[in-house]
Amino acid sequence: MTKSLLFVCLGNICRSPAAEGVFLHLLDQRGLNDQFIVDSAGTGGWHVGNPADRRMQAAANKRGIQLPSRARQISLDDLRTFDLVLTMDDANLAAVRSLADEAGSQATATIQPMLSFSTAFSETEVPDPYYGGEAGFEHVLDLLEDACSNLLDDICPSS
Ligand code: 4NP
């Protein structure tokens, strides 16, 4: 059965498109693309329609990862249609939970912090790299490669 995942951050131009790209890359490597629907969204709407930040794309491309998404804002409907919503930081988690409260019993998605799947790092939030330097974008990818790999192992243990 197809599993649907939505990665969520604030602007949907750095962390969540990176998470989407890292996860899609893993699906490619493991030949599992047809078993998943993968998307990303922001809790804010300032960058709607924009591609991922150039610095995030450059860091991902260096690792052989493409970031194909265009920014969009999360909607109530996402909490009815996606199986799993993965948030990058505590503010995103609070915003998504609040949206789920609004949607009431129709919000069937499981909401989980992305780094609850991390094993190699003790951090609980993916830091926002937007106002920092190149190292911040690399660190985002280090965190996401670890968490996405464990997430996929968790969903598809035999892959
Ligand atoms: P993201 O990073 O949430 O990882 O996409 C941000 C990008 C832009 C802004 C904030 C966070 N902004 O305020 O424009």
Side-chain angles (χ1 to χ4, degrees):
M1 206 176 77
T2 310
K3 186 104 182 157
S4 56
L5 308 186
L6 181 68
F7 297 99
V8 175
C9 62
L10 175 60
N12 194 212
I13 55 169
C14 295
R15 293 165 292 174
S16 61
E20 178 186 354
V22 167
F23 198 82
L24 287 170
H25 186 67
L26 287 171
L27 292 181
D28 267 345
Q29 287 178 328
R30 299 192 200 181
L32 294 170
N33 303 64
D34 57 350
Q35 295 184 36
F36 285 86
I37 292 166
V38 182
D39 197 3
S40 64
T43 58
W46 312 281
H47 297 284
V48 167
N50 291 349
D53 185 283
R54 299 184 265 107
R55 299 162 297 171
M56 193 75 255
Q57 292 205 44
N61 292 348
K62 275 199 293 178
R63 300 184 189 209
I65 297 164
Q66 309 305 313
L67 306 185
S69 81
R70 291 268 169 177
R72 72 173 179 87
Q73 190 168 14
I74 189 171
S75 69
L76 281 180
D77 212 38
D78 289 321
L79 297 167
R80 300 183 194 117
T81 55
F82 282 89
D83 298 316
L84 184 56
V85 175
L86 295 141
T87 52
M88 299 299 134
D89 66 26
D90 293 345
N92 312 149
L93 182 62
V96 172
R97 282 187 174 149
S98 157
L99 204 58
D101 284 346
E102 244 184 272
S105 61
Q106 295 196 314
T108 48
T110 300
I111 302 162
Q112 265 183 281
M114 183 74 236
L115 293 192
S116 64
F117 290 95
S118 175
T119 54
F121 298 89
S122 58
E123 287 151 84
T124 57
E125 300 181 89
V126 182
D128 184 349
Y130 191 66
Y131 293 107
E134 196 178 321
F137 292 89
E138 295 296 337
H139 186 53
V140 165
L141 290 169
D142 291 342
L143 292 167
L144 292 175
E145 286 190 318
D146 174 48
C148 282
S149 172
N150 293 325
L151 169 62
L152 184 52
D153 288 344
D154 205 68
I155 301 171
C156 299
S158 54
S159 64

